Amino acid sequence: MSIKAKIVDIKKHEQLTKLVLNASGIELVIISLELDESIKIGSKVELLVKATNVLISKKPLEEISVQNQFPAKITNIERGEILVNITLDFCGNSLESILLKNSFINLNLQEEDIVNVFINSSDISILRVLND
């Protein structure tokens, strides 16, 4: 699973860096303690998000501190005894979310459902810089 994005803004303060990225029209924000010096505005990157850090809701949430919130379509569901692995698509990017089975049942999620995805800015990292 991968998210490809382009860096559109970089702000640094002491050891902290805030990156704003465009992933097929969706704005994502990353907070990082370390940033490779080769990464600049305009760099195309592949992002890494741990599946357990991808939260899902059937409704958009207002007044929430999570910076990254966007719609996605459920494309695959793998049910286990304890966990459920959900594959999501947003604008051609693929992402996974792992939920406890009880949460999955309570949300009544189905393939093709459009859900809202939430990811903290500190839970996204740059896997690699892409060469075009």
Side-chain angles (χ1 to χ4, degrees), residues 38-111:
S38 68
I39 297 173
K40 311 260 186 247
I41 292 175
S43 294
K44 293 181 181 176
V45 295
E46 185 173 355
L47 304 175
L48 178 66
V49 181
K50 191 173 171 184
T52 53
N53 292 337
V54 177
L55 307 177
I56 294 176
S57 171
K58 288 192 119 176
K59 297 180 182 178
L61 300 176
E62 295 180 16
E63 299 179 15
I64 185 170
S65 65
V66 175
Q67 184 75 41
N68 301 301
Q69 179 178 169
F70 52 88
K73 181 179 181 180
I74 296 176
T75 58
N76 189 44
I77 298 171
E78 294 177 26
R79 295 164 180 83
E81 287 298 313
I82 297 172
L83 299 174
V84 176
N85 187 22
I86 298 173
T87 304
L88 303 158
D89 177 84
F90 72 98
C91 302
N93 289 287
S94 187
L95 187 62
E96 286 186 2
S97 178
I98 295 177
L99 305 177
L100 286 171
K101 188 173 183 176
N102 289 358
S103 295
F104 171 77
I105 291 168
N106 290 339
L107 287 168
N108 190 30
L109 298 171
Q110 306 292 324
E111 284 187 26

Side-chain angles (χ1 to χ4, degrees), residues 115-130:
V115 295
N116 293 281
V117 174
F118 304 88
I119 308 170
N120 279 316
S121 56
S122 58
D123 291 334
I124 303 174
S125 58
I126 296 175
L127 179 62
R128 65 188 174 105
V129 177
L130 302 171

